[in-house]
Amino acid sequence: MRLKALPAVFATLIVIGSSAEAADLSGRARVIDGDTFNIRNQRIRIAAIDACESYQTGLKDGKVWRSGVAARSYLGKMIDGQHVRCDIIDQDQHRRLVGQCFIGDIDIGLAMVKAGLAEAMLRYLPATRSISEVEYGQAENRARDDGLGIWSAEIESPHVYRRYKSSEMS
């Protein structure tokens, strides 16, 4: 009887062990877009933010502004090729890990919001999170008040843009 229970015990230990390992992920980052990057071929979505899509544009000073390219470029200058540490808090519908990520002591998501290159997106965070809704909300308000990044342009919110693009393809 004990021998039959042994595989179940090992399976439980493997799941517990792998979830503990997945709670933190660190390594050299390779930027994909304004809120997503890879570490060791694992795709990571930065928690609590929503940046413009890669091909998304808006109008800035009467000219077409490539907001998605601007977000990716800013994130790239900050983290591409650098050692990044992420506290993994979830997995999204695209099977990407979702994490609060840092370069040194700098919260990468918060830095993107402060620069006006991402919106704070707190509604999808799990209840057990360490991300400060107040700090992210204040950062977005300051960026908006100062007219930084997306707040200086006529542009659709990234989630509205995605919804419109997906209905266009249907």
Side-chain angles (χ1 to χ4, degrees):
M1 191 120 181
R2 280 189 171 173
L3 291 178
K4 287 183 181 178
L6 206 48
V9 170
F10 283 131
T12 303
L13 289 174
I14 290 169
V15 169
I16 290 170
S18 58
S19 66
E21 289 172 24
D24 289 313
L25 184 64
S26 66
R28 189 174 306 272
R30 187 180 64 78
V31 173
I32 296 169
D33 63 24
D35 53 22
T36 309
F37 60 92
N38 277 345
I39 292 178
R40 295 189 309 268
N41 295 319
Q42 176 62 60
R43 206 163 268 216
I44 301 164
R45 172 94 162 61
I46 302 170
I49 71 168
D50 197 10
C52 290
E53 295 299 309
S54 296
Y55 299 105
Q56 188 173 351
T57 61
L59 286 178
K60 190 173 190 176
D61 302 323
K63 297 177 184 165
V64 173
W65 179 55
R66 296 172 26 172
S67 53
V69 170
R72 186 199 183 287
S73 176
Y74 188 86
L75 183 61
K77 286 176 184 168
M78 185 177 6
I79 71 166
D80 213 20
Q82 301 296 315
H83 185 85
V84 172
R85 177 183 56 81
C86 297
D87 299 328
I88 305 303
I89 59 173
D90 205 358
Q91 187 172 26
D92 70 9
Q93 71 271 20
H94 304 291
R95 302 181 70 122
R96 297 176 295 192
L97 297 178
V98 178
Q100 184 177 18
C101 300
F102 301 87
I103 186 159
D105 291 333
I106 298 169
D107 179 334
I108 296 166
L110 186 59
M112 291 295 290
V113 172
K114 284 180 178 180
L117 291 167
E119 295 179 345
M121 186 179 70
L122 304 165
R123 65 184 169 271
Y124 298 116
L125 290 175
T128 57
R129 63 181 181 277
S130 62
I131 297 174
S132 169
E133 290 181 27
V134 172
E135 192 173 14
Y136 272 69
Q138 288 173 343
E140 183 177 295
N141 289 337
R142 272 192 304 276
R144 184 182 290 119
D145 292 347
D146 293 344
L148 300 176
I150 60 176
W151 309 114
S152 67
E154 295 174 43
I155 193 161
E156 288 178 305
S157 180
H159 73 275
V160 172
Y161 176 83
R162 278 190 302 278
R163 190 176 325 126
Y164 175 72
K165 282 296 183 191
S166 68
S167 68
E168 228 177 41
M169 298 179 86
S170 300

